[in-house]
Short mmCIF file of all heavy atoms in Angstrom, two decimals:
data_model
loop_
_atom_site.label_atom_id
_atom_site.label_comp_id
_atom_site.label_asym_id
_atom_site.label_seq_id
_atom_site.Cartn_x
_atom_site.Cartn_y
_atom_site.Cartn_z
N ARG A 56 -45.74 0.58 -17.17
CA ARG A 56 -46.91 1.33 -16.74
C ARG A 56 -47.35 2.31 -17.82
O ARG A 56 -48.52 2.39 -18.19
CB ARG A 56 -46.59 2.09 -15.46
CG ARG A 56 -47.59 3.20 -15.17
CD ARG A 56 -47.40 3.77 -13.79
NE ARG A 56 -47.83 2.82 -12.77
CZ ARG A 56 -47.97 3.13 -11.49
NH1 ARG A 56 -47.68 4.34 -11.07
NH2 ARG A 56 -48.37 2.24 -10.61
N TYR A 89 -36.18 -8.35 -18.72
CA TYR A 89 -34.91 -7.70 -19.04
C TYR A 89 -34.63 -7.80 -20.53
O TYR A 89 -35.01 -8.78 -21.18
CB TYR A 89 -33.76 -8.38 -18.30
CG TYR A 89 -33.50 -7.79 -16.95
CD1 TYR A 89 -34.12 -8.29 -15.82
CD2 TYR A 89 -32.64 -6.71 -16.81
CE1 TYR A 89 -33.89 -7.75 -14.58
CE2 TYR A 89 -32.40 -6.16 -15.58
CZ TYR A 89 -33.03 -6.69 -14.47
OH TYR A 89 -32.79 -6.15 -13.24
N ARG A 338 -26.59 33.50 12.72
CA ARG A 338 -25.27 32.96 13.02
C ARG A 338 -24.22 33.59 12.10
O ARG A 338 -24.46 33.80 10.92
CB ARG A 338 -25.27 31.45 12.88
CG ARG A 338 -26.05 30.80 14.00
CD ARG A 338 -26.51 29.43 13.63
NE ARG A 338 -25.41 28.63 13.10
CZ ARG A 338 -24.50 28.02 13.85
NH1 ARG A 338 -24.57 28.10 15.16
NH2 ARG A 338 -23.55 27.32 13.31
N ARG A 344 -10.57 38.89 13.10
CA ARG A 344 -10.77 39.06 14.54
C ARG A 344 -10.77 40.55 14.90
O ARG A 344 -10.29 41.39 14.12
CB ARG A 344 -9.66 38.35 15.32
CG ARG A 344 -9.52 36.89 14.97
CD ARG A 344 -8.45 36.24 15.84
NE ARG A 344 -8.22 34.87 15.42
CZ ARG A 344 -7.20 34.49 14.64
NH1 ARG A 344 -6.33 35.38 14.21
NH2 ARG A 344 -7.06 33.23 14.29
N ARG A 502 11.11 -16.94 -1.06
CA ARG A 502 10.61 -17.51 -2.32
C ARG A 502 11.59 -17.40 -3.47
O ARG A 502 11.50 -18.17 -4.42
CB ARG A 502 9.34 -16.75 -2.73
CG ARG A 502 8.18 -16.99 -1.83
CD ARG A 502 7.21 -15.84 -1.97
NE ARG A 502 6.13 -15.99 -1.02
CZ ARG A 502 5.01 -16.63 -1.29
NH1 ARG A 502 4.83 -17.14 -2.48
NH2 ARG A 502 4.08 -16.75 -0.39
N SER A 531 -14.76 2.43 2.26
CA SER A 531 -15.47 3.65 1.87
C SER A 531 -14.86 4.82 2.62
O SER A 531 -14.43 4.68 3.76
CB SER A 531 -16.94 3.57 2.24
OG SER A 531 -17.61 2.67 1.42
N LYS A 534 -16.12 5.83 6.13
CA LYS A 534 -15.96 4.89 7.23
C LYS A 534 -14.71 5.17 8.04
O LYS A 534 -13.63 5.39 7.48
CB LYS A 534 -15.88 3.48 6.68
CG LYS A 534 -16.88 2.56 7.32
CD LYS A 534 -17.58 1.75 6.30
CE LYS A 534 -18.83 1.14 6.90
NZ LYS A 534 -19.68 0.58 5.86
N TYR A 556 0.24 -10.08 -7.46
CA TYR A 556 0.58 -11.48 -7.68
C TYR A 556 -0.11 -12.02 -8.93
O TYR A 556 0.47 -12.78 -9.70
CB TYR A 556 0.19 -12.29 -6.45
CG TYR A 556 0.66 -13.72 -6.46
CD1 TYR A 556 2.02 -14.02 -6.52
CD2 TYR A 556 -0.24 -14.77 -6.41
CE1 TYR A 556 2.46 -15.33 -6.52
CE2 TYR A 556 0.18 -16.08 -6.41
CZ TYR A 556 1.54 -16.36 -6.46
OH TYR A 556 1.97 -17.66 -6.48
N TYR A 641 -6.76 -19.54 -13.84
CA TYR A 641 -5.36 -19.96 -13.83
C TYR A 641 -5.23 -21.42 -13.39
O TYR A 641 -4.44 -22.18 -13.93
CB TYR A 641 -4.60 -19.05 -12.88
CG TYR A 641 -3.13 -19.34 -12.75
CD1 TYR A 641 -2.21 -18.78 -13.62
CD2 TYR A 641 -2.67 -20.16 -11.74
CE1 TYR A 641 -0.87 -19.03 -13.49
CE2 TYR A 641 -1.32 -20.43 -11.59
CZ TYR A 641 -0.43 -19.85 -12.47
OH TYR A 641 0.91 -20.11 -12.33
N ASN A 648 0.41 -25.85 -20.99
CA ASN A 648 0.22 -27.28 -21.09
C ASN A 648 -1.06 -27.66 -21.83
O ASN A 648 -1.48 -28.82 -21.79
CB ASN A 648 0.20 -27.91 -19.70
CG ASN A 648 1.49 -27.59 -18.95
OD1 ASN A 648 2.57 -27.67 -19.54
ND2 ASN A 648 1.38 -27.22 -17.70
P A B 265 -17.24 -0.29 3.36
OP1 A B 265 -16.67 1.04 3.12
OP2 A B 265 -18.60 -0.43 3.89
"O5'" A B 265 -17.11 -1.12 2.02
"C5'" A B 265 -18.25 -1.57 1.38
"C4'" A B 265 -17.88 -2.29 0.12
"O4'" A B 265 -17.79 -3.70 0.44
"C3'" A B 265 -18.95 -2.19 -0.94
"O3'" A B 265 -18.76 -1.05 -1.74
"C2'" A B 265 -18.78 -3.50 -1.70
"O2'" A B 265 -17.67 -3.44 -2.57
"C1'" A B 265 -18.47 -4.45 -0.55
N9 A B 265 -19.67 -5.02 0.07
C8 A B 265 -20.12 -4.83 1.35
N7 A B 265 -21.23 -5.48 1.63
C5 A B 265 -21.54 -6.13 0.45
C6 A B 265 -22.58 -6.99 0.09
N6 A B 265 -23.56 -7.35 0.91
N1 A B 265 -22.59 -7.48 -1.17
C2 A B 265 -21.61 -7.10 -2.01
N3 A B 265 -20.57 -6.31 -1.79
C4 A B 265 -20.59 -5.85 -0.52
P G B 270 -30.54 -1.39 -7.69
OP1 G B 270 -29.55 -1.74 -6.70
OP2 G B 270 -30.16 -0.94 -9.04
"O5'" G B 270 -31.55 -2.60 -7.85
"C5'" G B 270 -31.06 -3.93 -7.93
"C4'" G B 270 -32.07 -4.75 -8.66
"O4'" G B 270 -33.16 -3.96 -9.15
"C3'" G B 270 -31.45 -5.47 -9.85
"O3'" G B 270 -31.73 -6.85 -9.75
"C2'" G B 270 -32.13 -4.80 -11.04
"O2'" G B 270 -32.32 -5.73 -12.07
"C1'" G B 270 -33.47 -4.39 -10.46
N9 G B 270 -34.16 -3.32 -11.17
C8 G B 270 -33.66 -2.15 -11.67
N7 G B 270 -34.58 -1.40 -12.22
C5 G B 270 -35.76 -2.11 -12.06
C6 G B 270 -37.09 -1.81 -12.43
O6 G B 270 -37.50 -0.80 -13.00
N1 G B 270 -37.98 -2.81 -12.07
C2 G B 270 -37.62 -3.96 -11.44
N2 G B 270 -38.60 -4.80 -11.16
N3 G B 270 -36.39 -4.27 -11.06
C4 G B 270 -35.51 -3.30 -11.41
P U B 286 4.66 -30.23 -10.49
OP1 U B 286 5.76 -29.33 -10.84
OP2 U B 286 3.67 -29.84 -9.46
"O5'" U B 286 3.85 -30.61 -11.80
"C5'" U B 286 4.47 -30.54 -13.08
"C4'" U B 286 3.46 -30.09 -14.10
"O4'" U B 286 2.34 -31.01 -14.10
"C3'" U B 286 2.80 -28.76 -13.79
"O3'" U B 286 3.60 -27.69 -14.26
"C2'" U B 286 1.48 -28.84 -14.54
"O2'" U B 286 1.65 -28.59 -15.91
"C1'" U B 286 1.13 -30.33 -14.37
N1 U B 286 0.21 -30.57 -13.24
C2 U B 286 -1.12 -30.29 -13.45
O2 U B 286 -1.54 -29.84 -14.50
N3 U B 286 -1.95 -30.54 -12.38
C4 U B 286 -1.59 -31.02 -11.14
O4 U B 286 -2.43 -31.19 -10.28
C5 U B 286 -0.17 -31.29 -11.00
C6 U B 286 0.65 -31.06 -12.03
P C B 287 3.69 -26.38 -13.46
OP1 C B 287 5.14 -26.10 -13.30
OP2 C B 287 2.81 -26.43 -12.31
"O5'" C B 287 3.08 -25.34 -14.50
"C5'" C B 287 3.82 -25.01 -15.67
"C4'" C B 287 3.69 -23.54 -15.96
"O4'" C B 287 2.43 -23.31 -16.67
"C3'" C B 287 3.61 -22.61 -14.76
"O3'" C B 287 4.90 -22.27 -14.31
"C2'" C B 287 2.86 -21.40 -15.31
"O2'" C B 287 3.75 -20.43 -15.80
"C1'" C B 287 2.05 -21.97 -16.48
N1 C B 287 0.60 -21.95 -16.29
C2 C B 287 -0.19 -21.83 -17.44
O2 C B 287 0.35 -21.77 -18.52
N3 C B 287 -1.54 -21.80 -17.30
C4 C B 287 -2.08 -21.87 -16.09
N4 C B 287 -3.39 -21.84 -16.02
C5 C B 287 -1.27 -21.98 -14.89
C6 C B 287 0.05 -22.01 -15.05
P G B 288 5.10 -21.11 -13.16
OP1 G B 288 4.68 -19.84 -13.74
OP2 G B 288 6.48 -21.24 -12.64
"O5'" G B 288 4.08 -21.46 -12.00
"C5'" G B 288 4.28 -22.56 -11.18
"C4'" G B 288 4.21 -22.13 -9.74
"O4'" G B 288 5.21 -21.12 -9.49
"C3'" G B 288 2.88 -21.53 -9.32
"O3'" G B 288 2.55 -21.99 -8.01
"C2'" G B 288 3.17 -20.03 -9.26
"O2'" G B 288 2.38 -19.35 -8.29
"C1'" G B 288 4.61 -20.05 -8.79
N9 G B 288 5.31 -18.81 -9.11
C8 G B 288 5.50 -18.22 -10.31
N7 G B 288 6.17 -17.11 -10.25
C5 G B 288 6.44 -16.96 -8.90
C6 G B 288 7.15 -15.95 -8.21
O6 G B 288 7.69 -14.94 -8.68
N1 G B 288 7.19 -16.19 -6.85
C2 G B 288 6.65 -17.27 -6.23
N2 G B 288 6.80 -17.32 -4.90
N3 G B 288 5.98 -18.23 -6.85
C4 G B 288 5.93 -18.00 -8.18
P A B 290 2.51 -18.81 -2.52
OP1 A B 290 3.00 -18.54 -3.88
OP2 A B 290 3.44 -18.81 -1.40
"O5'" A B 290 1.36 -17.77 -2.21
"C5'" A B 290 0.66 -17.79 -0.98
"C4'" A B 290 0.10 -16.43 -0.70
"O4'" A B 290 1.20 -15.51 -0.53
"C3'" A B 290 -0.75 -15.88 -1.84
"O3'" A B 290 -1.78 -15.05 -1.32
"C2'" A B 290 0.24 -15.02 -2.62
"O2'" A B 290 -0.37 -13.98 -3.33
"C1'" A B 290 1.10 -14.47 -1.49
N9 A B 290 2.44 -14.10 -1.92
C8 A B 290 3.26 -14.71 -2.82
N7 A B 290 4.42 -14.11 -2.98
C5 A B 290 4.34 -13.04 -2.11
C6 A B 290 5.24 -12.02 -1.80
N6 A B 290 6.44 -11.90 -2.35
N1 A B 290 4.85 -11.10 -0.91
C2 A B 290 3.65 -11.21 -0.35
N3 A B 290 2.71 -12.13 -0.55
C4 A B 290 3.13 -13.02 -1.45
P C B 308 -46.56 0.51 -8.82
OP1 C B 308 -47.01 0.90 -10.17
OP2 C B 308 -47.50 0.56 -7.68
"O5'" C B 308 -45.96 -0.95 -8.89
"C5'" C B 308 -46.83 -2.08 -8.94
"C4'" C B 308 -46.03 -3.33 -9.19
"O4'" C B 308 -45.46 -3.29 -10.52
"C3'" C B 308 -44.81 -3.50 -8.29
"O3'" C B 308 -45.17 -4.08 -7.05
"C2'" C B 308 -43.92 -4.41 -9.11
"O2'" C B 308 -44.34 -5.75 -9.06
"C1'" C B 308 -44.17 -3.87 -10.53
N1 C B 308 -43.18 -2.85 -10.94
C2 C B 308 -41.87 -3.24 -11.25
O2 C B 308 -41.57 -4.43 -11.16
N3 C B 308 -40.98 -2.30 -11.63
C4 C B 308 -41.35 -1.02 -11.72
N4 C B 308 -40.43 -0.15 -12.10
C5 C B 308 -42.67 -0.59 -11.39
C6 C B 308 -43.55 -1.53 -11.02
P C B 324 -16.39 22.50 14.97
OP1 C B 324 -15.45 23.47 14.40
OP2 C B 324 -16.20 21.97 16.33
"O5'" C B 324 -17.87 23.09 14.88
"C5'" C B 324 -18.21 24.07 13.93
"C4'" C B 324 -19.65 24.45 14.09
"O4'" C B 324 -20.45 23.25 14.23
"C3'" C B 324 -19.98 25.24 15.34
"O3'" C B 324 -19.71 26.63 15.17
"C2'" C B 324 -21.47 24.98 15.49
"O2'" C B 324 -22.22 25.78 14.63
"C1'" C B 324 -21.58 23.52 15.04
N1 C B 324 -21.59 22.58 16.17
C2 C B 324 -22.78 22.40 16.87
O2 C B 324 -23.78 23.04 16.51
N3 C B 324 -22.82 21.54 17.91
C4 C B 324 -21.72 20.87 18.26
N4 C B 324 -21.81 20.03 19.28
C5 C B 324 -20.49 21.03 17.56
C6 C B 324 -20.47 21.89 16.54
P C B 327 -9.49 32.99 17.58
OP1 C B 327 -9.13 33.17 19.00
OP2 C B 327 -9.00 33.93 16.60
"O5'" C B 327 -9.02 31.55 17.08
"C5'" C B 327 -9.33 30.39 17.75
"C4'" C B 327 -8.18 29.44 17.56
"O4'" C B 327 -8.59 28.12 17.98
"C3'" C B 327 -7.76 29.25 16.10
"O3'" C B 327 -6.85 30.27 15.70
"C2'" C B 327 -7.11 27.88 16.15
"O2'" C B 327 -5.79 27.97 16.63
"C1'" C B 327 -7.97 27.14 17.18
N1 C B 327 -9.03 26.30 16.57
C2 C B 327 -8.82 24.91 16.57
O2 C B 327 -7.78 24.48 17.07
N3 C B 327 -9.76 24.11 16.03
C4 C B 327 -10.86 24.64 15.50
N4 C B 327 -11.76 23.81 14.99
C5 C B 327 -11.10 26.04 15.48
C6 C B 327 -10.16 26.84 16.01
P A B 328 -6.54 30.56 14.22
OP1 A B 328 -5.75 31.79 14.19
OP2 A B 328 -7.70 30.40 13.33
"O5'" A B 328 -5.57 29.32 14.02
"C5'" A B 328 -4.71 29.23 12.90
"C4'" A B 328 -4.42 27.77 12.65
"O4'" A B 328 -5.29 26.94 13.47
"C3'" A B 328 -4.74 27.33 11.22
"O3'" A B 328 -3.64 27.58 10.36
"C2'" A B 328 -5.04 25.86 11.38
"O2'" A B 328 -3.86 25.10 11.48
"C1'" A B 328 -5.76 25.83 12.73
N9 A B 328 -7.21 25.96 12.57
C8 A B 328 -7.98 27.09 12.54
N7 A B 328 -9.26 26.86 12.39
C5 A B 328 -9.34 25.49 12.31
C6 A B 328 -10.44 24.62 12.15
N6 A B 328 -11.71 25.03 12.03
N1 A B 328 -10.19 23.30 12.10
C2 A B 328 -8.93 22.88 12.21
N3 A B 328 -7.82 23.60 12.38
C4 A B 328 -8.10 24.92 12.41
#
Side-chain angles (χ1 to χ4, degrees):
Chain A
R56 163 170 289 191
Y89 271 92
R338 289 158 50 81
R344 305 183 186 99
R502 292 157 185 269
S531 288
K534 233 134 196 168
Y556 188 61
Y641 180 87
N648 302 317

